[in-house]
Amino acid sequence: MQADRLFLQFIPVLVWAILVIVLIVIMLLASWVLRPHILQNSEKTSTYECGEEPIGSARMAFPYSYIIYTILFVIIDVMGAFLWLLSVSPFRLDPIVAWQTFIFVVIIMGGIGYAMKLLPATYLDGRETLVAYREAKARSLEKAHSPGREH
Amino acid sequence: MIPLSWYLAVAFILIGLGAYGMMVKRNLIRILIGAEIMGNGVSIALAAFALYSPVFTLTGQALIILMISVAAGHTALALVLMLAYNRRYGTVDLGRPISQEEKINV
Amino acid sequence: MQGFESLFESVEFLLIAGIVIVLAYLALEHKEIVYAAFFFGIMASFVAGFFLLLEAPFVAGMQIAVYTGGISALIIFGVLLLPRAQDSTLEAIESPRAKKIGILVSGSIVFLSAILALTFPWSEAIPEGTIESSLDVALLAEWLWSDHGVYVQIIALIIVTSLVGVIALMKMDKAELMKDITGEFGIEAKPLPEEPESEEAPEAEEAAESEVSEEVDE
């Protein structure tokens, strides 16, 4: 019982992939043949910044808190995959399955809403830092000017 | 038809590579990549069994789906743990020298 | 036609297997962690080729959507946010003994499981010619959503739990940052007339110091 195997339907994709690879190799070779071969210098290999002198390395540290957005994306991605599986099935309008889908979406959306609500608590923005710094400095100055009052 | 053992051989090679990476490497992100490679090897083995044994087909594919979903969650958690490690110790090196004070506190 | 089909399948299998193993090796051994993360992403999308060979189109789609689109993007983002991970001195292995032991243990894992897998009589355990080809995705959806709907809810709970853990860790991270700002080291290093008392547990530090001195005495 050897019916049509799935990979046989993907032969056009394979042909397309081979075409892409051959095309890329041809383009790279053609540009290598056609371009002028001058020496590499520091002007040429430096980071492109429009009208500015590049300062430092391009690999700088970003605030850690940005990773929360990627994590939210991955969660939505998983939810989308499960809903995709449901969307191809003929029984998706069955009431029990509809209720299950509703609970699934509500659980995940509740988690994402919780994350969005607590987002300011995970994120250190500049204004908050400034306020905290000023308060701490005022505290320390007060302590410095009136020693022994609290003891 | 390809024999089942070919797929199992590829799966075992991937699991061995991932185990090697997890045991030897010092970079935390490299260790995470090793764990993900192991997970991919396991899902290849599961998919092979799912195709070759008739009673296991639906269960095997559904298991792979659940595995991939859990992998998304644990990767997110592992990366944030790495960020916390970096904040605390200033490095992502697992083989860093451990100071005296840290030994006492642990 | 049948001969061409099996030959094509073998060639495709060997091609994908070679690419996947080489990419997995590069993802573990390449010096630049950024390239290693990209190699991992490409490897994950080639593993989807195995799933297509194994008649699992939905699993292949999910592998590409979640592994290539989500997890490898997450790892690349982690590399971006952790510039210390790009330090190439981390790739140096301290002692060749550790590497030897690692190769030995993982090699023995592969060897033992390969012996088990290759000597087991699969052809007797699994009857030949019963392969279901091109499984309908609707059957899978029915198994997962209609017959075993609890699994889906449990997956949702697991994912939300990991999200809660992420939020808790990030809050701890922020608290640590705030301690740097408002603690005794964050204020301008101005010589104060009196030693400012730190709010958080000076006893612990003293205890640690006394323990150190005790150890030194011993």
Side-chain angles (χ1 to χ4, degrees), chain B residues 99-106, chain C residues 200-217:
Chain B
S99 65
Q100 193 69 30
E101 184 188 352
E102 200 179 317
K103 271 184 196 164
I104 290 167
N105 284 338
V106 167
Chain C
E200 62 275 358
E203 297 86 9
E205 289 177 20
E206 284 169 9
E209 281 172 8
S210 64
E211 278 184 32
V212 170
S213 58
E214 278 171 20
E215 278 202 3
V216 167
D217 291 338

Side-chain angles (χ1 to χ4, degrees), chain A residues 1-11 14 59-75 77-79 81-91 94 96-97 99-105 107-116 118-125 128-130 132-133 135-137 139-141 143-148 151, chain C residues 1-2 4-6 8-9 12 15 32 34-35 51-58 61-62 64-67 69-71 73-74 77-78 80-84 86 129-134 137-138 140-146 148-150 152-153 155-157 159-160 162-164 166-167 170-171 173-174 177-178 181-183 186-188 190 192-194 196-199:
Chain A
M1 187 193 113
Q2 290 282 333
D4 269 356
R5 300 294 306 280
L6 185 71
F7 67 93
L8 290 177
Q9 300 171 13
F10 280 83
I11 288 179
L14 189 68
R59 293 180 182 173
M60 53 170 288
F62 290 92
Y64 291 162
S65 320
Y66 286 133
I67 203 166
I68 196 92
Y69 296 108
T70 321
I71 289 167
L72 292 183
F73 159 69
V74 169
I75 286 166
D77 204 13
V78 172
M79 188 186 81
F82 274 95
L83 293 185
W84 174 28
L85 178 59
L86 186 69
S87 71
V88 297
S89 58
F91 58 89
D94 188 26
I96 297 173
V97 176
W99 274 110
Q100 279 180 15
T101 315
F102 179 72
I103 293 171
F104 176 71
V105 172
I107 288 174
I108 287 187
M109 282 299 162
I112 286 174
Y114 170 77
M116 295 304 283
L118 285 187
L119 209 56
T122 65
Y123 204 98
L124 191 66
D125 68 340
E128 198 183 340
T129 314
L130 198 62
Y133 173 75
E135 280 174 0
K137 193 176 176 188
R139 261 206 310 278
S140 74
L141 281 181
K143 246 182 216 171
H145 285 153
S146 61
H151 299 293
Chain C
M1 191 61 197
Q2 200 64 250
F4 163 74
E5 199 175 293
S6 63
F8 187 70
E9 192 179 3
E12 205 167 341
L15 200 67
E32 292 273 339
V34 184
Y35 290 124
F51 294 145
L52 286 182
L53 271 179
L54 288 166
E55 314 281 336
F58 179 76
M62 186 146 179
I64 288 180
V66 176
Y67 258 103
I71 294 179
L74 204 58
F77 221 79
L80 176 78
L81 293 177
L82 288 171
R84 290 190 183 96
Q86 299 165 9
T130 51
I131 289 164
E132 302 242 357
S133 56
S134 291
V137 179
L140 187 61
E142 194 177 354
W143 193 92
L144 194 59
W145 274 98
S146 181
H148 301 77
V150 181
V152 180
Q153 315 299 336
I155 285 294
L157 285 178
I159 288 174
V160 169
S162 76
L163 186 59
V164 171
V166 163
I167 294 287
M170 302 279 285
K171 278 175 82 174
D173 208 39
K174 183 183 174 181
L177 262 183
M178 291 298 279
I181 292 168
T182 61
I187 314 299
E188 297 166 16
K190 194 172 165 186
L192 294 173
E194 200 187 64
E197 280 185 4
S198 63
E199 279 88 5

Side-chain angles (χ1 to χ4, degrees), chain B residues 21-42:
Chain B
M22 284 185 76
M23 278 187 284
V24 172
K25 295 293 172 187
R26 292 164 57 193
N27 196 336
L28 279 177
I29 292 185
R30 203 62 76 115
I31 291 171
L32 181 64
I33 291 177
E36 301 295 334
I37 287 174
M38 279 177 93
N40 271 327
V42 172

Side-chain angles (χ1 to χ4, degrees), chain C residues 14-186:
Chain C
L14 290 177
L15 200 67
I16 295 176
I19 290 173
V20 163
I21 290 169
V22 167
L23 283 176
Y25 177 76
L26 280 177
L28 287 174
E29 289 293 333
H30 201 282
K31 275 209 172 58
E32 292 273 339
I33 187 88
V34 184
Y35 290 124
F38 275 103
F39 282 134
F40 169 72
I42 302 168
M43 190 211 82
S45 54
F46 270 99
V47 168
F50 276 124
F51 294 145
L52 286 182
L53 271 179
L54 288 166
E55 314 281 336
F58 179 76
V59 177
M62 186 146 179
Q63 170 90 11
I64 288 180
V66 176
Y67 258 103
T68 312
I71 294 179
S72 86
L74 204 58
I75 291 177
I76 290 168
F77 221 79
V79 174
L80 176 78
L81 293 177
L82 288 171
R84 290 190 183 96
Q86 299 165 9
D87 185 7
S88 62
T89 57
L90 289 182
E91 307 309 325
I93 295 167
E94 269 174 359
S95 63
R97 193 164 144 266
K99 188 170 184 176
K100 247 182 243 166
I101 291 175
I103 289 178
L104 204 69
V105 173
S106 56
S108 60
I109 290 173
V110 175
F111 184 68
L112 294 177
S113 45
I115 283 180
L116 240 167
L118 299 182
T119 58
F120 191 82
W122 294 113
S123 52
E124 293 171 24
I126 298 169
E128 196 76 28
T130 51
I131 289 164
E132 302 242 357
S133 56
S134 291
L135 176 78
D136 195 4
V137 179
L139 278 177
L140 187 61
E142 194 177 354
W143 193 92
L144 194 59
W145 274 98
S146 181
D147 299 346
H148 301 77
V150 181
Y151 291 176
V152 180
Q153 315 299 336
I154 289 173
I155 285 294
L157 285 178
I158 288 173
I159 288 174
V160 169
T161 309
S162 76
L163 186 59
V164 171
V166 163
I167 294 287
L169 280 169
M170 302 279 285
K171 278 175 82 174
M172 277 166 58
D173 208 39
K174 183 183 174 181
E176 215 153 301
L177 262 183
M178 291 298 279
K179 204 170 75 185
D180 280 352
I181 292 168
T182 61
E184 49 188 318
F185 300 112

Side-chain angles (χ1 to χ4, degrees), chain A residues 10-53:
Chain A
F10 280 83
I11 288 179
V13 178
L14 189 68
V15 172
W16 179 77
I18 291 172
L19 205 67
V20 166
I21 292 169
V22 169
L23 212 64
I24 286 174
V25 169
I26 287 174
M27 279 160 65
L28 285 177
L29 278 179
S31 67
W32 189 80
V33 167
L34 289 176
R35 74 173 175 232
H37 291 271
I38 58 168
L39 288 174
Q40 301 274 324
N41 52 27
S42 66
E43 195 80 17
K44 202 173 174 213
T45 56
S46 66
T47 318
Y48 176 71
E49 285 181 26
C50 185
E52 298 269 339
E53 290 281 327

